[in-house]
Amino acid sequence: MPRRIVVTSNRTQQALVEFMIEKLGGKDSVYKEFYGLRIHELASQGASLEDLHKEARDGGWHEELANMRLKLLGSAITGKLWADRSEPSKSGDQESATKRLSAEEVADIHDRILTFLETNPWSAKPAIAKGVSVPGRKISARLRALRLEKKIQSSGEKASMRYALASERSKPRV
């Protein structure tokens, strides 16, 4: 049975937080990871810059966002902050897990996605990734790009999101 940490006072709670921050590499490192992860989550959901600012204001970290360097912001959006923690692909080929796609590869994946969605409308991201033989971490950006190009449409949020061709007239399955 896991042990629960019980904090009996605000002073103890503050000491515990300071201890954890120090163990995790200091305040800057914790902010970078914590807010960077939130930015990455918003970016992967297709959020706008306005959405990011609203989230930061509502969450009380707008000042941290305003002071972030663009390099950090860009790496948070692309998920590169956590690249060193990612596991190698199932085939064991670490290079393929981090290799950038060429324009030809991107076009090929887009074609395969569109072809897959012709016969499999309202599919989830894992099914599309499997159907076109592309790792899930690479399929998200491709689906986002196709949505921006208005070639596909989506329905739902986060894990329940489903995709279909823009011309698809059927309704998504619930």
Side-chain angles (χ1 to χ4, degrees):
M1 177 174 219
R3 296 177 74 191
R4 285 185 39 170
I5 297 175
V6 179
V7 179
T8 57
S9 71
N10 284 342
R11 184 179 294 169
T12 304
Q13 185 176 16
Q14 183 63 34
L16 178 61
V17 168
E18 289 172 8
F19 172 79
M20 291 185 326
I21 287 172
E22 186 62 34
K23 284 292 187 185
L24 294 171
K27 188 168 100 175
D28 290 341
S29 178
V30 170
Y31 281 156
K32 178 178 169 182
E33 289 285 327
F34 182 78
Y35 297 126
L37 181 60
R38 187 63 193 128
I39 292 166
H40 179 67
E41 289 171 357
L42 287 169
S44 66
Q45 295 169 8
S48 69
L49 192 54
E50 185 178 333
D51 296 332
L52 174 60
H53 279 283
K54 182 181 181 329
E55 173 81 17
R57 278 191 297 276
D58 293 349
W61 55 279
H62 195 261
E63 185 176 334
E64 285 82 4
L65 174 64
N67 292 323
M68 272 187 193
R69 299 274 181 227
L70 287 176
K71 185 175 181 178
L72 173 62
L73 190 58
S75 61
I77 289 168
T78 61
K80 298 263 194 267
L81 284 173
W82 306 278
D84 59 330
R85 294 183 183 172
S86 66
E87 295 180 24
S89 62
K90 289 183 181 175
S91 66
D93 181 8
Q94 181 63 36
E95 185 178 319
S96 70
T98 59
K99 181 183 145 254
R100 286 190 164 258
L101 298 173
S102 69
E104 294 80 22
E105 290 171 316
V106 168
D108 177 57
I109 292 171
H110 283 197
D111 288 343
R112 291 182 357 224
I113 291 170
L114 294 172
T115 300
F116 178 82
L117 289 175
E118 278 182 48
T119 55
N120 301 285
W122 301 115
S123 294
K125 184 173 75 169
I128 297 169
K130 185 177 180 183
V132 299
S133 302
V134 174
R137 66 187 160 278
K138 294 206 186 259
I139 202 82
S140 295
R142 301 300 98 229
L143 291 169
R144 191 169 32 262
L146 288 168
R147 280 179 38 209
L148 290 172
E149 293 171 12
K150 305 219 183 289
K151 292 183 178 180
I152 64 172
Q153 59 180 313
S154 63
S155 178
E157 293 183 22
K158 298 182 182 179
S160 66
M161 189 166 291
R162 301 291 184 259
Y163 301 88
L165 294 177
S167 60
E168 180 63 39
R169 298 292 169 226
S170 70
K171 299 290 181 195
R173 298 179 291 271
V174 180

